[in-house]
C-alpha cells in the first residue's frame, strides 16, 4: 500500500450507494473537504437528505465518470457494485467498493482529524476493526487541542520562512516549541 492524501479541490470525487455505510462515507468525505456528486437510484431518506442537491437518482454512466477521478461504492447489490467497479476502471477512475477487497484500487484509512492535522491508520482492508481500535487510541492521544497546536506551529513556520530561515532552522524551532510545551511525552 502507498499512502496518499487527496485534495478534493483538485481531484473530483463521486459516491454511488445507499444505506448507513454510504451515509458514513459521505460524512467522512465532507469532513475532508469534498462535496461529491452522489449517485443513488433509490436512496433512503437519511442518505437523500444528507446528499441534498448533489444527489443524482440514478447510477453513473461512463459519461458521468469522465469528470471523476475517484469513486466510492457501497450499499448496492453486489452485481451492481462489480459492474460499477469495472466501468470506473475503464474510465480511468480509481474505485473503492466498501468491504470488497478484490474490487478496490485503494483502501480508506481510519481517520482522526484535529483541524488540519490528519492522523490515519490502515490495515490495507484486512482488519477494519483493528484500524478502528487504533483510531480510537489516537483520538485519546491527540485530543482536539492539537488543531490549535498545529495552527501555532504553522504560524511559527510561516514567520520563519518569511524571515528567510532555512528548512533546518524551521525544523529545529518546531522541535524546540513542541519540546518546550511538552506536547509529546
Amino acid at each position: 500500500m502507498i499512502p496518499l492524501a487527496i485534495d478534493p479541490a483538485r481531484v473530483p470525487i463521486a459516491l454511488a450507494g445507499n444505506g448507513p455505510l454510504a451515509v458514513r462515507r459521505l460524512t467522512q468525505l465532507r469532513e475532508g473537504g469534498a462535496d461529491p456528486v452522489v449517485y443513488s437510484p433509490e436512496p433512503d431518506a437519511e442518505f437523500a437528505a444528507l446528499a441534498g442537491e448533489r444527489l443524482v437518482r440514478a447510477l453513473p454512466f461512463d459519461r458521468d465518470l469522465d469528470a471523476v477521478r475517484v469513486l466510492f461504492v457501497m450499499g448496492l447489490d453486489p452485481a451492481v457494485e462489480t459492474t460499477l467497479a469495472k466501468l470506473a476502471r475503464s474510465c480511468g477512475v480509481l474505485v473503492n467498493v466498501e468491504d470488497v477487497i478484490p474490487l478496490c484500487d485503494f483502501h480508506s484509512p481510519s481517520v482522526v482529524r484535529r483541524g488540519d492535522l490528519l492522523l490515519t491508520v490502515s490495515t490495507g482492508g484486512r482488519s477494519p476493526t483493528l484500524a478502528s481500535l487504533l483510531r480510537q487510541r489516537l483520538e485519546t492521544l491527540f485530543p482536539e487541542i492539537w488543531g490549535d497546536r498545529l495552527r501555532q506551529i504553522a504560524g511559527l513556520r510561516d514567520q520563519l520562512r518569511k524571515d528567510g530561515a532555512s528548512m533546518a532552522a524551521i525544523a529545529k524551532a518546531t522541535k524546540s516549541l513542541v519540546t518546550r510545551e511538552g506536547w509529546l511525552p
Side-chain angles (χ1 to χ4, degrees):
M1 303 301 300
I2 300 171
L4 299 172
I6 295 174
D7 181 351
R10 296 174 187 242
V11 179
I13 298 171
L15 184 150
N18 196 18
L21 291 176
V23 167
R24 187 184 80 201
R25 178 64 64 202
L26 181 54
T27 300
Q28 290 171 341
L29 290 171
R30 291 214 173 124
E31 287 172 352
D35 189 21
V37 175
V38 176
Y39 296 93
S40 187
E42 297 177 10
D44 60 43
E46 181 183 15
F47 189 50
L50 184 61
E53 294 179 7
R54 302 292 283 165
L55 177 63
V56 176
R57 291 179 180 268
L59 292 174
F61 291 100
D62 52 356
R63 66 181 179 274
D64 300 314
L65 295 179
D66 285 342
V68 173
R69 293 295 155 252
V70 175
L71 176 66
F72 290 89
V73 179
M74 72 283 306
L76 300 171
D77 179 86
V80 172
E81 292 179 343
T82 299
T83 299
L84 280 176
K86 289 177 183 176
L87 175 63
R89 282 193 193 91
S90 74
C91 294
V93 174
L94 293 174
V95 64
N96 174 284
V97 179
E98 191 89 20
D99 290 333
V100 187
I101 293 173
L103 296 180
C104 294
D105 296 325
F106 66 95
H107 304 285
S108 293
S110 275
V111 172
V112 175
R113 285 185 195 284
R114 301 298 187 238
D116 286 333
L117 179 62
L118 181 67
L119 305 169
T120 64
V121 176
S122 175
T123 61
R126 298 187 50 107
S127 180
T129 301
L130 176 59
S132 178
L133 290 170
L134 292 171
R135 176 192 47 78
Q136 291 170 24
R137 180 73 172 137
L138 286 172
E139 287 173 341
T140 302
L141 292 171
F142 294 89
E144 293 291 337
I145 195 158
W146 274 92
D148 294 332
R149 291 174 177 172
L150 177 57
R151 281 188 287 282
Q152 187 175 346
I153 291 168
L156 172 65
R157 179 178 184 260
D158 291 345
Q159 185 59 52
L160 291 171
R161 288 181 79 186
K162 183 178 171 186
D163 294 344
S166 69
M167 292 307 289
I170 293 170
K172 183 177 179 181
T174 300
K175 289 176 187 176
S176 177
L177 172 63
V178 170
T179 301
R180 182 175 63 251
E181 296 294 330
W183 291 341
L184 292 174

